[in-house]
Amino acid sequence: MAGWITRLRQLILTAVIICLMGVISCRAEPISDTAGKAPDVKEHKVMMYPKIYADYQQTSFQSQTARISGKRVWFVNSADNVKGQKLQLIILTDAGLTVQYESRLIQLDFTGKLAWEAACEPVLPALASGNRIFYRGQNGHLHGIDEQGREMFEEFPIPNCFSLGDVLALMPIDDDNFLFQTYNRPEEVERGYPPEKADYNLILTGPTDGINWKWLHQFEGNALPGVASTDQTKFILLNDQSEVMIFDIPKGELAGKFAVEGASFADASMDRRDNLIVMLKTIEGERKLCSYTLSGELNWEYVLGPGTGWSPQPPAIDSNNRVYIIANDTLMVIDEGEVKWQQPVPSAGYRYLTILGDNSVLVVGGIEIDHFDQDGKELLAIELEKGDIITAPPVIDNNGRLYIGTISGIHCLE
């Protein structure tokens, strides 16, 4: 009963707030000092690897190029510090490496020296904006660390994210505003009461807004982590009801919506022409890679044969707008629906790829690191020591050095 009362209070508080804010159904009006004025979208400078899959389009593309022969520069054994937790992510800024484990962040400089560490929540991947690092703490709040390792926020609770909820996506809009994609699971059903529904939210707010967020949309259906348009003015969600929802960030409006009948979405990214690249499964069991405009028109599709499945990574996009995916133990490069080249890759539990500025591609799986040029020619093949399994995407710094995260620690190679 106590759990039900707590949830009821939360729902009442949310309902009151929504009424006060004038938010009705799935439409919200932007709130600011001047009617109709919305936060400016900040132009972001080119960075190394500021977030999972490199950018908010999830292209897995870095502008840097590799200068690697396989020589190890340094290795940091982090297993003792994080008690065997899986290394999930390495992001790179000018300040060094931010390494995320299941409940721990560690910051290293480019020599492998520890700068700071913090406790984090495992579901939301950490990200960088400039040299600032943002992550969700174990208290449920958003935390920001500046380049000196200092906390930026005294307190920043994430709205509409309760004890049975979580954050699926986070995108800084400017210095003072953040876009959050959240959900809340219902409490356990109490006898004599109807079951509650999960709720899903997209919110624009800042650390000083409190309950006065800029806008809030509540929508139906569990959605994949959202992707942004190339200018970061639109945020696109794909839900489990085969729907694609396009939100206009500055206006705070649902700008468009379309359905792909019978589709079950697996993952998505945005290409350089603002087309949505979607991995999906049809109701007949066919697996496809598809390109859609944001108005719902199909540009092309490629049918993947039956096999062992695909890598849990969104389709990657190179500077020529070609799409890279790993499916059935094969790296495939697809241009306008046609395969340009393909290469076998190791069978492994975790397989990732990162495209570089010259459109060469790094592919990792198990203990193997492969580097292919833009035409599929193998440039390098490296194997780590047996048992040292790679668990995160490979990343390259401005000097062409390669950083690899494994179950035992972090390798720096050149």
Side-chain angles (χ1 to χ4, degrees):
M1 181 64 73
W4 178 82
I5 294 173
T6 300
R7 179 60 174 162
L8 180 61
R9 288 173 177 168
Q10 292 170 337
L11 291 173
I12 292 172
L13 176 60
T14 299
V16 170
I17 293 169
I18 291 174
C19 290
L20 290 173
M21 296 296 296
V23 178
I24 301 175
S25 185
C26 282
R27 182 177 176 88
E29 296 299 330
I31 295 178
S32 60
D33 293 335
T34 304
K37 183 180 178 182
D40 293 331
V41 175
K42 187 176 181 180
E43 185 176 339
H44 297 277
K45 70 175 184 177
V46 175
M47 297 180 68
M48 283 179 273
Y49 197 90
K51 66 177 297 292
I52 186 71
Y53 310 129
D55 53 37
Y56 295 97
Q57 294 71 51
Q58 303 195 133
T59 65
S60 295
F61 178 87
Q62 287 192 255
S63 60
Q64 290 73 24
T65 56
R67 300 180 182 90
I68 49 175
S69 63
K71 176 186 175 183
R72 190 163 80 176
V73 181
W74 52 258
F75 171 73
V76 172
N77 186 339
S78 54
D80 294 337
N81 297 332
V82 293
K83 298 180 181 178
Q85 293 184 25
K86 177 194 167 189
L87 187 152
Q88 297 178 316
L89 174 65
I90 299 174
I91 58 180
L92 294 182
T93 69
D94 292 340
L97 297 73
T98 307
V99 185
Q100 183 170 15
Y101 292 85
E102 292 170 24
S103 64
R104 202 81 186 156
L105 283 180
I106 63 171
Q107 179 73 22
L108 306 175
D109 66 18
F110 285 107
T111 69
K113 182 181 178 181
L114 180 68
W116 53 261
E117 55 185 325
C120 69
E121 183 268 344
V123 174
L124 181 68
L127 60 89
S129 180
N131 281 337
R132 300 169 300 167
I133 306 297
F134 298 104
Y135 63 95
R136 190 184 186 198
Q138 292 182 339
N139 59 2
H141 295 174
L142 183 69
H143 291 254
I145 303 290
D146 67 15
E147 52 266 36
Q148 282 80 42
R150 299 173 302 195
E151 283 266 10
M152 296 173 58
F153 311 125
E154 187 171 321
E155 190 175 68
F156 192 172
I158 296 173
N160 270 34
C161 188
F162 305 128
S163 59
L164 293 181
D166 225 318
V167 186
L168 286 176
L170 163 67
M171 185 170 77
I173 301 301
D174 54 34
D175 289 339
D176 300 313
N177 295 283
F178 297 81
L179 189 69
F180 294 97
Q181 178 188 348
T182 72
Y183 71 91
N184 295 290
R185 294 183 294 269
E187 298 274 359
E188 184 178 347
V189 177
E190 297 287 340
R191 183 177 296 178
Y193 291 89
E196 296 175 359
K197 294 173 62 178
D199 63 79
Y200 306 94
N201 313 277
L202 192 63
I203 310 159
L204 182 66
T205 190
T208 61
D209 289 345
I211 63 172
N212 297 312
W213 45 67
K214 304 297 185 302
W215 52 256
L216 161 71
H217 287 275
Q218 289 191 330
F219 55 89
E220 294 291 328
N222 188 21
L224 297 170
V227 295
S229 59
T230 53
D231 63 2
Q232 296 188 17
T233 62
K234 292 182 175 62
F235 201 71
I236 297 91
L237 300 178
L238 293 81
N239 70 14
D240 58 5
Q241 299 177 15
S242 306
E243 294 175 331
V244 177
M245 298 170 284
I246 300 99
F247 294 90
D248 187 305
I249 298 172
K251 293 181 180 179
E253 296 177 350
L254 178 63
K257 183 178 180 179
F258 67 88
V260 181
E261 295 298 333
S264 175
F265 300 131
D267 228 325
S269 56
M270 291 287 289
D271 74 8
R272 298 178 184 279
R273 300 168 191 156
D274 273 353
N275 295 307
L276 197 62
I277 308 298
V278 187
M279 297 160 59
L280 59 83
K281 189 174 183 179
T282 68
I283 198 168
E284 294 84 12
E286 212 172 28
R287 299 181 309 148
K288 293 182 178 181
L289 183 69
C290 301
S291 170
Y292 293 96
T293 69
L294 291 185
S295 59
E297 298 170 353
L298 178 67
N299 294 314
W300 55 260
E301 66 178 18
Y302 180 81
V303 179
L304 298 163
T308 57
W310 44 42
S311 174
Q313 176 174 358
I317 315 292
D318 74 7
S319 65
N320 292 325
N321 218 40
R322 301 184 304 178
V323 181
Y324 295 58
I325 63 166
I326 297 173
N328 301 339
D329 295 334
T330 303
L331 170 65
M332 308 176 71
V333 180
I334 299 172
D335 188 6
E336 298 295 327
E338 295 183 358
V339 176
K340 287 302 178 184
W341 59 265
Q342 55 187 359
Q343 283 279 8
V345 295
S347 178
Y350 304 108
R351 293 183 298 197
Y352 299 100
L353 66 89
T354 300
I355 304 172
L356 305 181
D358 56 2
N359 288 333
S360 65
V361 57
L362 289 163
V363 185
V364 297
I367 63 171
E368 189 169 327
I369 304 163
D370 293 301
H371 188 197
F372 301 102
D373 72 9
Q374 63 178 340
D375 299 315
K377 178 184 176 182
E378 187 172 70
L379 301 174
L380 188 69
I382 308 168
E383 286 192 354
L384 303 177
E385 294 180 5
K386 288 185 178 180
D388 195 12
I389 299 170
I390 301 168
T391 60
V395 293
I396 294 286
D397 70 14
N398 284 330
N399 294 315
R401 286 182 169 181
L402 170 64
Y403 300 89
I404 296 291
T406 73
I407 59 174
S408 64
I410 305 104
H411 300 259
C412 173
L413 305 176
E414 66 179 12

